[in-house]
């Protein structure tokens, strides 16, 4: 093959590889929804529980507190919601002994961006949800537990306009800085559904305000009631590697 032909073939081969890798990455991320999170006021009594939780950073002995956040599967800028029943209920945790780690993340907002994972903050578990006036919340499948860690970012991200649609309505505005990295996790030795796809949660500036909504939820901790009161971060599917 002449040199020019080999050169052109090499460029074409590299392009095909990039497209294939990009499509594979998009395919992996598409198996996990975006989640719009909401602060909730819990309506059910809670007794703290301590659990062994294992993720890619190791095993934590996590003491789980009262429900704080409910994350609803959401369409961001027209993305497809693939598992409409599967929410995440997030509980604050205390897990001493964690050492900060450096990671690099890639998602729709950031490419090969460094983060420092600082401290375990929440345990988010797959959750069924219903409004209180309807039938009880369903059990859900096809979604992992996540340990969410507070993060520090050395770089500001560009303000990103977004439109978010979920079961609580539609909102528009912008995504801000990354606040947490959520790693898929096993509880008491449970198996992972998708070990490679993480969530990174970004602060948001969205309007209008959400209408306060009483809900009922069901997950590994039982059935509970809560009231959705305010929008919080949006969590987007993310690929992570150690920095």
């Amino acid at each position: 093959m002449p040199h020019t032909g080999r050169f052109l073939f090499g460029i074409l081969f590299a392009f095909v590889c990039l497209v294939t890798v990009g499509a594979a990455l998009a395919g992996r991320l598409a198996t996990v929804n975006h989640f719009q999170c909401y602060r909730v006021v819990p309506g059910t009594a809670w007794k703290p529980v301590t659990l062994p939780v294992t993720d890619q950073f190791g095993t934590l002995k996590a003491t789980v507190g009262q429900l704080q956040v409910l994350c609803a599967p959401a369409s961001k800028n027209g993305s497809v919601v693939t598992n409409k029943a599967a929410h995440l209920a997030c509980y604050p945790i205390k897990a001493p002994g964690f050492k900060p780690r450096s990671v690099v993340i890639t998602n729709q907002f950031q490419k090969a961006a460094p983060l420092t994972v600082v401290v375990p903050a929440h345990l988010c578990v797959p959750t069924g949800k219903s409004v209180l006036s309807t039938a009880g919340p369903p059990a859900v499948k096809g979604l992992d537990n996540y340990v969410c860690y507070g993060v520090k970012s050395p770089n500001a991200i560009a303000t990103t306009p977004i439109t978010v649609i979920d079961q609580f309505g539609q909102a528009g505005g912008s995504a801000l800085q990354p606040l947490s990295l959520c790693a898929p996790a096993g509880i008491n030795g449970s198996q992972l559904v998708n070990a490679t796809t993480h969530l990174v949660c970004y602060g948001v500036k969205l309007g209008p305000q959400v209408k306060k909504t009483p809900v009922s939820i069901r997950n590994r901790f039982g059935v509970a009631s809560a009231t959705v009161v305010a929008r919080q971060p949006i969590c987007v599917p993310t690929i992570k590697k150690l920095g």
Side-chain angles (χ1 to χ4, degrees):
M1 180 184 294
H3 290 296
T4 301
R6 287 198 298 268
F7 178 73
L8 293 174
F9 177 79
I11 291 176
L12 178 60
F13 179 77
F15 175 76
V16 170
C17 288
L18 285 173
V19 170
T20 302
V21 170
L25 175 62
R28 279 193 287 166
L29 294 180
T31 62
V32 177
N33 287 319
H34 296 74
F35 289 91
Q36 176 60 56
C37 297
Y38 295 86
R39 181 170 63 86
V40 299
V41 176
T44 303
W46 175 262
K47 183 178 180 180
V49 59
T50 300
L51 299 168
V53 182
T54 302
D55 63 18
Q56 296 169 359
F57 298 115
T59 298
L60 302 171
K61 186 178 181 181
T63 300
V64 184
Q66 174 69 288
L67 175 70
Q68 286 185 342
V69 175
L70 178 66
C71 300
S75 170
K76 177 187 71 64
N77 293 345
S79 64
V80 176
V81 177
T82 59
N83 190 346
K84 296 180 180 181
H87 297 60
L88 288 169
C90 300
Y91 303 78
I93 58 173
K94 294 181 179 180
F98 180 80
K99 296 181 179 179
R101 314 291 176 85
S102 295
V103 301
V104 177
I105 63 162
T106 294
N107 58 35
Q108 295 173 353
F109 294 147
Q110 296 180 279
K111 306 298 182 185
L115 290 179
T116 301
V117 180
V118 180
V119 63
H122 287 88
L123 175 64
C124 297
V125 301
T127 296
K129 180 227 80 184
S130 66
V131 295
L132 287 182
S133 60
T134 65
V140 298
K141 297 180 179 180
L143 182 62
D144 283 307
N145 305 287
Y146 293 88
V147 176
C148 296
Y149 298 82
V151 299
K152 292 182 179 179
S153 174
N155 304 315
I157 71 167
T159 300
T160 306
I162 58 174
T163 299
V164 180
I165 302 173
D166 64 20
Q167 297 159 7
F168 297 105
Q170 178 173 332
S174 57
L176 307 174
Q177 290 301 103
L179 301 177
S180 60
L181 169 74
C182 301
I187 299 177
N188 288 326
S190 63
Q191 298 298 306
L192 298 181
V193 177
N194 186 337
T196 59
T197 302
H198 295 56
L199 296 168
V200 171
C201 303
Y202 293 82
V204 290
K205 193 173 183 180
L206 296 174
Q209 292 293 322
V210 66
K211 180 181 178 181
K212 292 184 179 180
T213 306
V215 297
S216 180
I217 64 170
R218 173 190 291 178
N219 57 37
R220 65 177 298 116
F221 298 123
V223 176
S225 63
T227 301
V228 171
V229 295
R231 285 189 180 88
Q232 292 213 317
I234 187 169
C235 302
V236 302
T238 298
I239 296 300
K240 176 227 81 183
K241 65 178 181 178
L242 294 177

